[in-house]
Amino acid sequence: MVKVKVMRAVGERNDAIAREIREELARKGIRAVNLMSSPGSGKTALLEKTFAHFAPSHPAAVIVGDPFTTRDAERLERAGGLAFQLNTEGSCHLTAPLVRAALDGLDLSGVKLLFIENIGNLICPASWDLGESAKAVLLSVAEGADKVEKYRKAFMIAHTVLITKSDLAPSCDFDLDYAREGIAALNPRARILTVSAKTGEGMEEWYGWLREMVL
Amino acid sequence: MVKVKVMRAVGERNDAIAREIREELARKGIRAVNLMSSPGSGKTALLEKTFAHFAPSHPAAVIVGDPFTTRDAERLERAGGLAFQLNTEGSCHLTAPLVRAALDGLDLSGVKLLFIENIGNLICPASWDLGESAKAVLLSVAEGADKVEKYRKAFMIAHTVLITKSDLAPSCDFDLDYAREGIAALNPRARILTVSAKTGEGMEEWYGWLREMVL
C-alpha cells in the first residue's frame, strides 16, 4: 500500500510538470512529438531523415533519452538538428522533470518541431506524460506483428504508429495486414504509416503528418 | 527518500524468494535459464527449436512472461515443451514471487532444463533476480550493434549473449565485430554466440552450452 501511494505521488508530480511543459510549448508555438519503441526500431534513423527534410525551412530539435551513451544526440546534430542528450543512468523511461531540465538547457528560438526520443522500451514510457502534443509509436517489421497485442498499452495511446524498416519485411515474414488490423482494433483513431528510412518508403506521409501538426 | 526505502524493501523480498527458488531447483537437479531481450529479438523462436531438440531425451519447461496475451505459451507447448504463462497485465519485468507462483503450478518431474522467458524489455528485467542458474541475453542483428553500450547493464550480467537473427545480418549492416568487442569489454567472461533459429546457424553451440550446464 505504501508503494502505491508513493508511486501515485511521483506520478502526480510528473503530470503537473507535464501540464506546465504543454502550456509553455503551446505559448511558444512549438509542437512536441514523443517517440516510443523497443530498442533498435529505428527512432534515430527516422529522425535523421526528418531533420534533413525539415532543416532548411523548419529547424527541428530533439531531446534524446538513453540509458547510457550520447551517440544518438551526436548523430542527430550531424543531421542538422539541435539535440539535447539525457542519460538516465540505466532508468527505463523519461519523465516530465527530465524533459523540463532539458528544455531549460535548449535555446528553441525559431524551432517549431520538437521531438522527444524516449528510452528504447515499449512498456514503461507508455505510462508517463512528458507534455508532448502527440505520441508516435514505432514497431519494426523485424519485431513481429504479434507485438501489437502483447505491448498493447503503447499502441492504445499512440496518435500515430509507424511500422518501420519496411525494406526488411520480405526477410521477416511480417504480416502487415494483421498488424494494421490489430492496431486499428485497439486504437481506431491512430494513423498507421509504413515507412523505411533506408529506402524512403512512406516518409512523405510521415512528413505530411508532421506538417499538418505544425502549420 | 521514502521511495528508495520502499523499493529496497520490495527488492529484498524479491531476492529472498529468488534464493529459495535457486535452492529448491538445485535440490531437484533443475537448471534454470532467464532469457532477457527487447521485444522481437527471437526468444520464443529460439525456444521452439530448443524444445524440439531436447524433447526426446531431456524434456524442457518454460515460464513465459508477457504483458498481455498467451500466444507464446501456446507456441511452446506445440513445440513439445511444458509451458506456464504469466501475464503481468502491463508490468515491465518478471519477479521472483511471480516465478514462485508459476513453479507452484507446474509439475516438473523429469524436467532438467527450465527456461524463464522474461518480458520483452532490455532494461528492467536486468535488475531482478529470479532464482535462475544463468542469464542469457539476446540481441537481434536488426536492433543494431550500438545497443550493447546503451543497454549495458543486461550485457554486464549475462552468462551468455546470443546475437540472434543472424540470417538478417546482410540486410541490417550489423557490425558483428563491434558488437562482440563491446560485449567482451563490458563482460569478458560472457560466452557470445551468433545464432539463427531460422537457418540453424550457431544452434549446435547453444545446445552445447545448455548441455554443459545440465549434464
Side-chain angles (χ1 to χ4, degrees):
Chain A
M1 287 310 288
V2 178
K3 187 189 167 200
V4 173
K5 246 198 251 171
V6 172
M7 292 306 287
R8 193 175 299 148
V10 171
E12 278 167 12
R13 179 164 171 265
N14 181 84
D15 292 352
I17 296 172
R19 273 193 299 276
E20 286 167 23
I21 291 173
R22 189 168 286 114
E23 285 163 17
E24 178 185 324
L25 292 177
R27 269 199 309 278
K28 293 183 174 169
I30 298 170
R31 304 289 284 172
V33 182
N34 179 0
L35 293 175
M36 291 177 282
S37 80
S38 305
S41 298
K43 295 184 292 300
T44 311
L46 181 85
L47 287 184
E48 280 180 313
K49 298 287 175 173
T50 306
F51 276 24
H53 179 84
F54 282 100
S57 55
H58 295 83
V62 62
I63 297 169
V64 189
D66 270 313
F68 299 99
T69 83
T70 56
R71 189 170 303 135
D72 287 354
E74 290 157 22
R75 276 174 65 183
L76 290 166
E77 293 251 325
R78 278 197 298 274
L82 186 66
F84 190 97
Q85 178 83 48
L86 286 169
N87 273 150
T88 62
E89 297 296 326
S91 174
C92 56
H93 60 88
L94 293 183
T95 61
L98 285 171
V99 171
R100 172 76 273 162
L103 287 173
D104 292 342
L106 271 173
D107 175 9
L108 293 180
S109 6
V111 168
K112 295 276 172 211
L113 201 50
L114 170 69
F115 296 97
I116 304 169
E117 185 181 336
N118 219 312
I119 306 286
N121 179 345
L122 204 47
I123 305 175
C124 312
S127 301
W128 295 82
D129 183 2
L130 304 182
E132 70 280 317
S133 325
K135 294 175 195 284
V137 170
L138 285 72
L139 174 72
S140 95
V141 299
E143 292 170 62
D146 61 329
K147 302 309 177 292
V148 171
E149 278 179 79
K150 272 194 198 173
Y151 301 91
R152 64 181 68 163
K153 184 162 182 189
F155 295 93
M156 287 167 76
I157 59 168
H159 296 83
T160 294
V161 175
L162 293 119
I163 297 173
T164 58
K165 304 197 183 184
S166 65
D167 53 292
L168 295 179
S171 329
C172 295
D173 312 318
F174 185 82
D175 189 337
L176 184 59
D177 290 338
Y178 184 81
R180 294 186 77 101
E181 283 161 21
I183 297 161
L186 289 170
N187 183 351
R189 291 190 303 175
R191 180 94 65 107
I192 307 171
L193 307 175
T194 305
V195 304
S196 164
K198 204 180 213 174
T199 67
E201 184 192 348
M203 293 298 283
E204 282 302 328
E205 249 183 293
W206 162 243
Y207 301 147
W209 181 75
L210 291 170
R211 235 176 267 120
E212 276 171 40
M213 276 222 318
V214 174
L215 303 180
Chain B
M1 287 310 288
V2 178
K3 186 191 167 196
V4 172
K5 246 197 252 172
V6 172
M7 293 306 287
R8 192 177 296 148
V10 171
E12 278 168 11
R13 179 163 172 267
N14 180 84
D15 291 353
I17 295 172
R19 273 194 300 275
E20 287 167 22
I21 292 173
R22 190 169 285 112
E23 285 163 17
E24 177 186 323
L25 293 176
R27 270 199 310 278
K28 294 184 173 168
I30 298 171
R31 304 289 283 172
V33 182
N34 179 0
L35 293 176
M36 291 176 282
S37 80
S38 305
S41 297
K43 295 185 291 301
T44 312
L46 181 85
L47 287 184
E48 280 181 313
K49 299 286 177 175
T50 306
F51 276 22
H53 179 83
F54 283 99
S57 56
H58 294 82
V62 63
I63 297 169
V64 189
D66 270 314
F68 299 98
T69 83
T70 58
R71 189 169 302 134
D72 287 355
E74 290 156 23
R75 277 174 65 183
L76 290 165
E77 293 251 324
R78 278 198 297 276
L82 186 67
F84 190 97
Q85 177 82 51
L86 286 168
N87 272 150
T88 63
E89 298 295 327
S91 174
C92 56
H93 59 86
L94 293 183
T95 61
L98 285 171
V99 172
R100 172 76 273 163
L103 287 173
D104 292 342
L106 271 172
D107 175 10
L108 294 178
S109 3
V111 168
K112 294 277 173 210
L113 201 50
L114 171 69
F115 295 97
I116 304 170
E117 185 181 336
N118 220 312
I119 306 285
N121 180 344
L122 204 47
I123 306 174
C124 312
S127 301
W128 295 83
D129 184 2
L130 304 182
E132 71 280 318
S133 324
K135 294 175 195 281
V137 169
L138 284 72
L139 175 72
S140 95
V141 299
E143 292 169 62
D146 61 328
K147 301 309 177 291
V148 171
E149 278 179 79
K150 270 193 199 173
Y151 301 91
R152 63 181 69 165
K153 184 162 183 192
F155 296 93
M156 287 168 77
I157 60 168
H159 295 83
T160 295
V161 176
L162 293 119
I163 297 173
T164 59
K165 304 198 182 183
S166 65
D167 53 292
L168 294 179
S171 329
C172 295
D173 312 318
F174 185 83
D175 188 336
L176 184 59
D177 290 338
Y178 183 82
R180 294 186 77 100
E181 284 161 22
I183 297 162
L186 290 170
N187 183 353
R189 291 190 304 174
R191 181 93 66 103
I192 306 172
L193 307 175
T194 305
V195 304
S196 164
K198 204 179 211 174
T199 65
E201 184 192 349
M203 292 297 284
E204 282 302 328
E205 249 182 294
W206 162 244
Y207 301 146
W209 181 76
L210 292 171
R211 237 178 265 121
E212 275 172 42
M213 275 223 317
V214 174
L215 304 178

